[in-house]
Amino acid sequence: MKKQFLLFGLLIILFSACKKTSFNDSKQAQIDDDKIKAYIAANHIDVTKDPSGIYYKLVKLDTGNAHPKLGDTIQVNYVGKLLNGTVFDTENGSIIPLAGTVKGWQLAIPLMTYDNSGVNYSRLRLIIPSALGYGSVAQTSGNVPIPANSVLDFQIDLIGYYPYP
């Protein structure tokens, strides 16, 4: 019986000594914001900060007045980069449900306009803090690793918009 108590006590000590890590959302948000501010200053990027934490610039607006909503499908050309300049994704003519994109896109794409003529398009520069991108989980896009807590920089052209009925 003494051996069982001794073993139990040792297990308690062992598990309590294990290093515990926790993720601090507000600390990471501040780290991301500092990185973004340094990046836009160093690269002379003219963007606006949204209360959500995204930074954006509507580079070109379509002549239309339709704005995509979360339930809609969009057609886009885009380039996604890390802050070090590494291109992790590029697509032309991708048709995707807006709800299936990262949270940063879901917040920013509705700022764009589209007229459904097929002639015009809107262009957006979007810098997304990690919490509104891929978060604290590392990803791989093609063969390009995207580290955990990566700030993402996108250029997005809205070339098609398909409203949910």
Side-chain angles (χ1 to χ4, degrees):
M1 187 73 158
K2 283 184 178 179
K3 287 183 182 179
Q4 290 173 338
F5 282 119
L6 181 60
L7 181 60
F8 183 69
L10 287 173
L11 286 174
I12 290 174
I13 292 170
L14 178 67
F15 285 118
S16 65
C18 290
K19 182 179 177 186
K20 293 175 180 67
T21 58
S22 63
F23 184 76
N24 185 326
D25 289 335
S26 60
K27 183 178 178 184
Q28 186 60 47
Q30 187 59 55
I31 291 168
D32 289 350
D33 201 54
D34 291 344
K35 285 180 183 178
I36 294 169
K37 287 177 182 175
Y39 178 71
I40 62 179
N43 294 285
H44 310 288
I45 302 169
D46 179 26
V47 289
T48 300
K49 183 178 181 182
D50 183 81
S52 68
I54 62 172
Y55 286 76
Y56 70 93
K57 179 174 185 172
L58 293 164
V59 177
K60 178 185 183 307
L61 281 175
D62 192 313
T63 57
N65 59 5
H67 294 271
K69 296 173 191 60
L70 190 57
D72 297 336
T73 298
I74 56 173
Q75 185 173 12
V76 292
N77 299 332
Y78 69 89
V79 176
K81 300 184 301 183
L82 302 174
L83 293 189
N84 66 8
T86 301
V87 174
F88 64 84
D89 199 4
T90 182
E91 292 287 337
N92 289 306
S94 287
I95 299 174
I96 49 179
L98 184 54
T101 63
V102 295
K103 184 71 173 173
W105 276 45
Q106 294 172 15
L107 294 167
I109 296 293
L111 300 172
M112 302 174 85
T113 57
Y114 191 71
D115 71 0
N116 276 331
S117 70
V119 176
N120 298 308
Y121 66 93
S122 287
R123 175 169 286 167
L124 173 72
R125 175 74 180 266
L126 178 61
I127 303 173
I128 305 174
S130 62
L132 301 175
Y134 299 121
S136 60
V137 178
Q139 304 283 321
T140 301
S141 180
N143 292 326
V144 180
I146 303 170
N149 301 312
S150 289
V151 173
L152 309 175
D153 181 6
F154 286 96
Q155 176 176 289
I156 305 165
D157 292 343
L158 179 64
I159 60 171
Y161 157 62
Y162 312 99
Y164 183 76

